[in-house]
Amino acid sequence: MEASNSRMQTFGQTEINWDKLDKTKFYVVGAGIFTGVTVALYPVSVVKTRLQVASKDTAERSAFSVIRGILKTDGIPGLYRGFGTVITGAIPARVIFLTALETTKVAAFSMVEPFKFSEPTQAAIANGIAGMTASLFAQAVFVPIDVISQKLMVQGYSGHAKYNGGLDVARKVLKSYGIRGLYRGFGLSVMTYSPSSAVWWASYGSSQRVIWRFLGQGTDLKEVAPSLSTIVAVQAAGGIIAGATASCITTPLDTIKTRLQVMGHEKRPSTRQVIKNLIADDGWKGFYRGLGPRFFSMSAWGTSMILAYEYLKRLCVKDD
């Protein structure tokens, strides 16, 4: 544990250990902060989802045309379809994710230390393992929320059914398919979000260290700590790099997963059929439908989330 603590204090003590946090304050304040971030970025998810499920004959084939269509039909509320469902499930999912992330990260750093990798490599491996593990735990809560919210996002669009809120979606899915219906695409969600989370956190952890090295910030604990503005700037840059990397790698799986989750009750195509339809409609570029919004979403969400997360950790440090 001493080795892990020492590592967390490198680069001018820019990181804060999990065991130094007031957990109650962390969870309560964190719920409010992450709710605010979700409010700000939720419309991007709606646009991305609509782009991914649009049929070949749909006129709205760009992000701007989708936004215009939503505003024309439903106004601003249309950009927040399914938001209530998402925010209800996001809080417990986020608690599970962050707890698993931080506890696993400490263990992972201890595990990779004997291999004597470079610090960026150690950070990439440890953060990647922590991100993947945290995502696996969180999917148990997040997938049903994802299924319900995505059906609400696309209701009445490109031939999709209409619903009277999240409870109506849940009731109809349970009636038609049982509990398995709420976990439609669970395998693909794990295959999408777990690697995405691993790539995101690995990129974030390693890119920060590379940037600090570039700025001349070494591992000498006696060095003067960088200013708060510098720390925030480096964390933001790490979030942008991480979001860009993860979105480019995982968008194809996300497109397939989204299509599987929103298909109506009367038609249940297999994963293979979804892939064939995408290729038939747009060729291989069909797998990257919604890449622009997803790229923006993951970069913006990642940067906002990590800045909020790091701020939250600084806010919730226990008094000695």
Side-chain angles (χ1 to χ4, degrees):
M1 179 62 74
E2 288 182 4
S4 296
N5 287 343
S6 176
R7 183 177 322 294
M8 289 298 190
Q9 292 172 2
T10 60
F11 299 103
Q13 302 182 15
T14 61
E15 298 185 36
I16 299 171
N17 277 2
W18 179 245
D19 59 359
K20 300 295 184 183
L21 297 181
D22 180 334
K23 305 300 188 300
T24 301
K25 185 177 181 181
F26 180 81
Y27 290 133
V28 173
V29 177
I33 290 176
F34 289 117
T35 296
V37 174
T38 304
V39 169
L41 296 176
Y42 188 80
V44 180
S45 296
V46 174
V47 175
K48 175 204 66 110
T49 299
R50 288 205 171 197
L51 281 173
Q52 289 177 327
V53 304
S55 65
K56 186 176 182 180
D57 299 324
T58 303
E60 297 168 349
R61 300 297 290 267
S62 71
F64 290 114
S65 62
V66 169
I67 293 171
R68 281 198 303 269
I70 291 174
L71 292 177
K72 182 178 179 180
T73 305
D74 301 312
I76 296 296
L79 294 172
Y80 285 89
R81 281 188 174 181
F83 179 77
T85 302
V86 166
I87 209 63
T88 300
I91 293 175
R94 189 65 60 186
V95 167
I96 293 170
F97 182 91
L98 293 178
T99 303
L101 175 76
E102 290 292 344
T103 52
T104 305
K105 192 192 299 183
V106 173
F109 266 115
S110 298
M111 183 180 70
V112 301
E113 183 168 3
F115 295 97
K116 305 300 180 183
F117 295 125
S118 66
E119 189 131 18
T121 301
Q122 289 189 36
I125 295 172
N127 279 274
I129 291 172
M132 178 173 284
T133 303
S135 181
L136 285 171
F137 281 104
Q139 290 311 305
V141 175
F142 186 71
V143 170
I145 299 301
D146 207 23
V147 170
I148 293 171
S149 65
Q150 287 181 340
K151 284 182 176 292
L152 290 172
M153 287 178 189
V154 302
Q155 63 175 324
Y157 176 73
S158 194
H160 291 280
K162 291 187 176 182
Y163 302 94
N164 294 315
L167 290 177
D168 185 42
V169 175
R171 185 175 64 253
K172 288 180 178 177
V173 170
L174 288 171
K175 182 178 180 180
S176 299
Y177 307 122
I179 193 67
R180 288 190 308 171
L182 292 177
Y183 283 89
R184 187 113 194 261
F186 180 78
L188 275 173
S189 288
V190 170
M191 288 174 62
T192 300
Y193 290 122
S194 293
S196 177
S197 182
V199 170
W200 199 99
W201 284 99
S203 299
Y204 176 70
S206 60
S207 63
Q208 270 200 102
R209 282 154 177 81
V210 170
I211 294 170
W212 282 124
R213 292 290 190 188
F214 179 77
L215 294 176
Q217 185 73 25
T219 58
D220 185 354
L221 297 182
K222 295 182 180 180
E223 289 182 356
V224 177
S227 66
L228 180 59
S229 61
T230 302
I231 293 174
V232 170
V234 171
Q235 291 170 344
I240 293 171
I241 293 170
T245 304
S247 63
C248 290
I249 292 174
T250 60
T251 290
L253 281 173
D254 186 60
T255 299
I256 296 168
K257 173 194 69 71
T258 300
R259 285 201 156 209
L260 276 173
Q261 289 178 330
V262 303
M263 290 301 178
H265 305 307
E266 72 286 349
K267 46 184 178 180
R268 296 188 64 185
S270 63
T271 301
R272 179 179 295 182
Q273 188 60 50
V274 168
I275 293 172
K276 287 175 64 177
N277 290 343
L278 277 169
I279 295 174
D281 285 352
D282 292 320
W284 291 102
K285 68 178 182 179
F287 291 102
Y288 282 88
R289 278 189 180 184
L291 174 61
R294 181 169 168 78
F295 181 96
F296 176 80
S297 178
M298 290 196 73
S299 296
W301 167 259
T303 304
S304 302
M305 185 275 292
I306 204 64
L307 291 180
Y309 177 58
E310 298 288 5
Y311 167 75
L312 180 62
K313 288 171 71 173
R314 290 193 293 272
L315 189 67
C316 298
V317 174
K318 294 177 182 177
D319 295 327
D320 292 331

